[in-house]
Amino acid sequence: MKTYYFDIETAPQPPEQLQAAMPVFEAPSNYKDPDKIATAIEEKRKAWVEKAALSTSTGRVLAVGFHYQGIATLFHGYDEKAVLQSTWDMVRTVEAESNGGCQWVGFYSFQFDLPFLLQRSFANRVRVPLGVRAGRYWGTNWLDLFEQWNCGKKDKSGSLDEVARVLGVGRKTGSGADFAALYSDNQEKALDYLRNDLELTARIGEVLL
């Protein structure tokens, strides 16, 4: 069984699209001072923009990485449709070559990575391979190490960095919240961050699977 580990990084949508989706912000009703009102509204706007990358209505896929036998394959760039198309083309190719004898493993992927990939694929009219989603459930060859780590607990917990630390397999080198800005300033450094996350996911998988 071939095991491919995967991870995604997201970014806010371009400014013109964000502006169109941005709600009207208001200061607390008891604020009377114009400066305080303006500051409160600006703080809400900044907080909304900072979280834009986490929603498929205001965010986009900036990078997708796969890790197999120590080698990372990365698809990235501001052409989201091309990134998504390359991602699913790889999935189709690997599954065809392995005759279905492969598994795709992420971390917190059932809650974030996979829904984000699928919804942004729908938005970009990119066809998703059969078997990724089977009715109400994820396909049997798609696994989430976050679920494996939590052992069926109702109150699930544990970030990638926390689990990696507990298992003694390494630590993260930054925060995904900074990826978009880092990618804009230093693309290779941003991609190194993604490679490290993929390596951590693979090391966790070696322990849990």
Side-chain angles (χ1 to χ4, degrees):
M1 175 74 74
K2 293 183 176 180
T3 299
Y4 284 77
Y5 297 93
F6 71 96
D7 187 27
I8 75 169
E9 299 296 342
T10 64
Q13 291 176 4
E16 62 276 11
Q17 291 177 255
L18 277 185
Q19 188 63 42
M22 191 175 296
V24 176
F25 301 110
E26 296 181 352
S29 59
N30 62 327
Y31 279 30
K32 305 301 180 184
D33 183 274
D35 290 338
K36 288 184 177 181
I37 291 174
T39 298
I41 291 175
E42 179 60 17
E43 288 176 351
K44 286 186 177 182
R45 188 197 68 81
K46 286 183 178 179
W48 184 85
V49 171
E50 287 175 358
K51 294 180 180 179
L54 301 178
S55 168
T56 53
S57 63
T58 53
R60 54 181 166 165
V61 177
L62 185 56
V64 181
F66 293 95
H67 181 285
Y68 176 65
Q69 293 186 339
I71 299 175
T73 301
L74 309 180
F75 303 113
H76 59 93
Y78 293 110
D79 185 342
E80 184 185 35
K81 186 171 184 176
V83 172
L84 291 167
Q85 189 64 62
S86 296
T87 295
W88 297 129
D89 283 348
M90 177 172 170
V91 170
R92 289 187 183 92
T93 297
V94 169
E95 291 188 341
E97 291 178 348
S98 64
N99 196 27
C102 61
Q103 58 184 0
W104 308 92
V105 182
F107 190 95
Y108 204 63
S109 50
F110 287 175
Q111 297 297 319
F112 184 73
D113 301 65
L114 285 172
F116 207 105
L117 283 173
L118 266 65
Q119 290 176 350
R120 293 308 301 167
S121 294
F122 299 152
N124 282 278
R125 306 300 190 270
V126 174
R127 189 176 294 278
V128 177
L130 293 174
V132 177
R133 185 76 180 173
R136 297 170 53 194
Y137 306 100
W138 296 110
T140 55
N141 58 340
W142 293 84
L143 305 176
D144 185 350
L145 293 173
F146 177 77
E147 297 292 332
Q148 184 80 357
W149 168 254
N150 276 280
C151 305
K153 290 193 304 181
K154 183 176 181 180
D155 297 322
K156 298 179 175 63
S157 63
S159 66
L160 179 68
D161 189 60
E162 290 169 342
V163 176
R165 177 183 57 79
V166 171
L167 296 179
V169 297
R171 298 296 300 266
K172 284 175 66 69
T173 58
S175 170
D178 302 324
F179 184 87
L182 183 60
Y183 186 87
S184 177
D185 294 338
N186 189 329
Q187 188 177 110
E188 194 53 38
K189 189 173 181 179
L191 295 179
D192 281 343
Y193 166 83
L194 174 55
R195 291 186 185 97
N196 184 70
D197 273 10
L198 287 167
E199 182 67 31
L200 288 182
T201 304
R203 290 175 181 173
I204 291 171
E206 290 171 358
V207 177
L208 301 187
L209 299 180

